[in-house]
Amino acid sequence: MAIEFGSLIGSDHASVVSMNLFVALLCACIVIGHLLEENRWMNESITALAIGLCTGFIILLTTKGKSSHILVFSEDLFFIYLLPPIIFNAGFQVKKKQFFRNFMTIMLFGAIGTLISFWIVSLVGAIHFFEKMNIGSLEINDYLAIGAILSATDSVCTLQVLNQDETPLLYSLVFGEGVVNDATSVVLFNAIQSFDLSHINLSIVLQFFGNFLYLFISSTLLGVLTGLLSAFIIKKLYFGRHSTDREVALMILMAYLSYMLAELFYLSGILTVFFCGIVMSHYTWHNVTESSRVTTKHAFATLSFIAEIFIFLYVGMDALDIEKWRVVSNSPGKSVGVSSILLGLVLLGRAAFVFPLSFVSNLTKKSSQEKIGIKQQVVIWWAGLIRGSVSMALAYNKFTMSGHTSLRGNAIMITSTISVVLFSTVVFGLMTKPLVRIMLPSPKHLTRMLSSEPSSPKSFTLPLLSNGQDSEGNNGRQTIPRPTSLRMLLSTPSHTVHYYWRKFDNAFMRPVFGGRGFVPIVPGSPLEQSVNQWH
């Protein structure tokens, strides 16, 4: 018995050592990222990648070229544990007024734009070039999968290279597009896996798009319904009168439940948890006590921050995985050629939809301040070129088994994807902040964009409690005369829809689901004192 126990301890000791080392590296990423905070070139993503690369190189030397890993990558680890807090926090923190004001443009970029990029990368590029290069036994599904994989922008890195307060329009467009784009890419990827595309006909194409629309709409509705359910439960039962811990726990668990329900019903968890975050920030967050508001806001941000660093640290280490590179070592030139072609297709595919769709979007906007200028279009094109964790996870899912592959074609696709991710994250990520300063240097421009997001004194005096909601509360208390004619709806659709949505929200939604103006107050509580302070 003692021998068995001792062997168990011995087998677990290696895992404990790996976890200790990985946690220490995460701490190092945070410390170094803090020291480089003022550096206009660096961000946490690039810092974590660099540390991951250095660590992988050291492990390669110590193991004499056998391994570069501390932990073995798992798609489940990424999709079930790391991605949900990142996307949920993005929806929870996003400035909803900016997001929904540009909703049609975001949907144009995120859905239609992704399909255009997918078509160029896979059908025009990959099939045309790679069949002639004889890189291995790849089928039509593999080429289409490459298009879906490399159409997924990195919304995580976008959070760090664009500032929501300095450039709210660019942030809402690029990040909003990134979230919809990630969901679209995953839906495309899953659809490609489930259809027999060796003989494409009109029926398969219609079925493909029907499946895409079903997943998109169903995932969004599931996220909205889960968010409303959490708001209703917390408003009716008001856990805060007994324990704020229960409020925080319920919000976290309901958010995670929305993602897992989407996975259970084979929907897009990314879209579901994103819209659940938006609904929770609009209703649920206002139904909890003041201490729960502060706690949830920073708990979600912290979980998201750790998950982001974890992903990029691992990607950096995995880039030096000797097993993948050994398979393609006989033809390094071909691997470099494939990577270069894929990178060029990514550049071309994004340009093919950003500039034309921006022109289409500008046609619907009357105010020159709301139109997307050519310099802004260049920044949107550039910032969305970054490929990251979603692309890596989809590539692992398609071309490897348990993180390894011995097939030459699959190995070339994996190493090429890794090369594109590293190059785009480092080069495009490093250059985005300076590009924003060069292309949009005018303080007047930044002031004008900041002024498009009205705020109340709370946003300045209570920064921990400001969640981009104050502008909505002010608008709800003001009476703004709006023409109700069809001509007004056609000329300023977003403002008109927002106006009628506010009326419906105040009349029907908030009395049922809570939100601003419907927060239960316990006599003598900090929330009551806070409310009295502002009335």
Side-chain angles (χ1 to χ4, degrees):
M1 186 70 178
I3 295 175
E4 292 178 1
F5 184 71
S7 63
L8 182 64
I9 293 177
S11 64
D12 286 346
H13 185 68
S15 300
V16 173
V17 171
S18 298
M19 287 303 300
N20 272 280
L21 183 54
F22 205 90
V23 172
L25 289 172
L26 288 174
C27 294
C29 289
I30 294 173
V31 172
I32 295 175
H34 170 72
L35 295 176
L36 297 174
E37 180 69 27
E38 301 303 322
N39 191 300
R40 60 185 241 174
W41 299 93
M42 298 295 289
N43 57 59
E44 275 87 1
S45 299
I46 298 171
T47 302
L49 269 177
I51 292 176
L53 284 168
C54 294
T55 305
F57 181 74
I58 293 171
I59 295 174
L60 272 178
L61 292 179
T62 55
T63 60
K64 298 180 180 179
K66 293 180 179 179
S67 175
S68 67
H69 290 134
I70 299 174
L71 302 173
V72 177
F73 182 86
S74 166
E75 292 88 10
D76 290 341
L77 172 68
F78 173 76
F79 280 109
I80 295 179
Y81 300 110
L82 297 179
L83 192 59
I86 296 173
I87 302 301
F88 175 82
N89 183 64
F92 194 74
Q93 304 284 358
V94 74
K95 291 185 176 180
K96 297 188 293 298
K97 191 173 181 66
Q98 276 288 343
F99 180 81
F100 286 105
R101 176 182 292 170
N102 301 290
F103 186 73
M104 294 309 298
T105 306
I106 288 170
M107 293 302 297
L108 271 177
F109 286 172
I112 306 300
T114 302
L115 293 175
I116 295 173
S117 176
F118 161 75
W119 181 70
I120 289 177
V121 173
S122 58
L123 298 179
V124 176
I127 295 177
H128 178 74
F129 288 107
F130 295 160
E131 282 188 341
K132 297 178 181 178
M133 294 178 67
N134 188 29
I135 61 175
S137 55
L138 297 178
E139 300 177 351
I140 182 69
N141 287 55
D142 298 318
Y143 294 123
L144 293 176
I146 279 293
I149 288 167
L150 292 179
S151 294
T153 62
D154 185 13
S155 54
V156 175
C157 200
T158 303
L159 292 170
Q160 298 174 4
V161 298
L162 291 177
N163 189 294
Q164 184 168 212
D165 295 320
E166 291 180 358
T167 54
L169 175 61
L170 288 181
Y171 182 94
S172 65
L173 286 177
V174 177
F175 173 70
E177 174 223 333
V179 173
V180 177
N181 167 283
D182 284 348
T184 305
S185 299
V186 173
V187 170
L188 271 175
F189 182 83
N190 291 335
I192 290 166
Q193 301 288 80
S194 59
F195 283 104
D196 179 16
L197 299 175
S198 56
H199 301 90
I200 301 178
N201 54 42
L202 181 60
S203 175
I204 289 179
V205 172
L206 292 176
Q207 190 178 359
F208 182 88
F209 281 102
N211 186 48
F212 171 76
L213 289 175
Y214 163 75
L215 288 173
F216 202 92
I217 296 171
S218 301
S219 302
T220 302
L221 288 177
L222 179 59
V224 171
L225 291 175
T226 310
L228 290 176
L229 179 61
S230 70
F232 185 78
I233 291 174
I234 290 181
K235 177 177 181 291
K236 287 298 181 183
L237 300 181
Y238 191 43
F239 291 86
R241 68 175 180 268
H242 295 307
S243 169
T244 58
D245 296 340
R246 292 192 181 108
E247 288 183 321
V248 175
L250 189 63
M251 285 187 69
I252 293 174
L253 291 174
M254 289 291 285
Y256 190 63
L257 178 64
S258 71
Y259 185 88
M260 295 311 297
L261 282 174
E263 296 298 313
L264 177 66
F265 296 118
Y266 301 102
L267 301 176
S268 170
I270 293 176
L271 264 182
T272 297
V273 79
F274 177 73
F275 279 97
C276 180
I278 290 178
V279 172
M280 275 195 173
S281 71
H282 190 68
Y283 296 110
T284 314
W285 193 74
H286 292 284
N287 294 343
V288 300
T289 59
E290 183 181 6
S291 57
S292 293
R293 293 188 193 183
V294 177
T295 303
T296 52
K297 184 178 175 68
H298 292 282
F300 290 137
T302 302
L303 290 173
S304 172
F305 179 70
I306 294 173
E308 290 170 18
I309 297 177
F310 189 105
I311 290 170
F312 285 102
L313 182 62
Y314 187 87
V315 168
M317 284 189 289
D318 192 69
L320 297 177
D321 182 18
I322 198 67
E323 294 296 329
K324 297 182 180 69
W325 293 101
R326 185 177 288 138
V327 179
V328 300
S329 59
N330 295 330
S331 53
K334 188 164 290 186
S335 180
V336 172
V338 171
S339 302
S340 303
I341 290 172
L342 288 176
L343 191 62
L345 290 172
V346 168
L347 290 163
L348 178 63
R350 184 157 183 82
F353 76 82
V354 167
F355 298 105
L357 293 183
S358 295
F359 174 77
V360 172
S361 175
N362 287 341
L363 294 177
T364 65
K365 300 181 184 299
K366 297 296 181 182
S367 171
S368 60
Q369 292 186 357
E370 294 181 348
K371 292 185 177 182
I372 308 171
I374 186 63
K375 290 185 177 180
Q376 291 173 309
Q377 293 177 33
V378 171
V379 174
I380 291 170
W381 168 71
W382 183 270
L385 290 171
I386 302 172
R387 298 295 178 265
S389 49
V390 174
S391 295
M392 290 288 292
L394 293 179
Y396 279 117
N397 184 280
K398 178 64 180 177
F399 296 110
T400 72
M401 294 295 292
S402 303
H404 300 290
T405 181
S406 57
L407 299 176
R408 181 167 174 268
N410 288 1
I412 288 178
M413 289 295 100
I414 281 288
T415 53
S416 299
T417 304
I418 291 173
S419 300
V420 171
V421 168
L422 284 176
F423 184 88
S424 64
T425 302
V426 174
V427 176
F428 300 148
L430 279 174
M431 295 298 296
T432 300
K433 285 184 179 179
L435 182 68
V436 171
R437 290 187 174 92
I438 293 171
M439 300 296 289
L440 308 170
S442 172
K444 293 181 181 179
H445 172 79
L446 296 179
T447 303
R448 186 188 75 213
M449 295 173 72
L450 278 169
S451 64
S452 67
E453 189 78 17
S455 58
S456 73
K458 281 190 179 182
S459 62
F460 300 101
T461 57
L462 295 177
L464 291 179
L465 302 183
S466 63
N467 195 32
Q469 315 288 341
D470 301 290
S471 60
E472 298 172 2
N474 290 340
N475 288 345
R477 291 190 294 269
Q478 294 175 356
T479 303
I480 304 174
R482 303 270 181 125
T484 57
S485 65
L486 180 63
R487 184 172 61 83
M488 179 62 187
L489 178 62
L490 293 175
S491 61
T492 55
S494 62
H495 294 284
T496 309
V497 170
H498 180 262
Y499 171 71
Y500 286 110
W501 159 249
R502 295 302 306 164
K503 292 183 68 174
F504 174 78
D505 191 29
N506 289 329
F508 299 103
M509 299 296 287
R510 291 187 175 184
V512 176
F513 298 105
R516 182 180 301 279
F518 293 96
V519 184
I521 299 175
V522 175
S525 68
L527 186 58
E528 182 192 39
Q529 297 168 12
S530 174
V531 172
N532 291 336
Q533 180 183 356
W534 296 105
H535 290 281

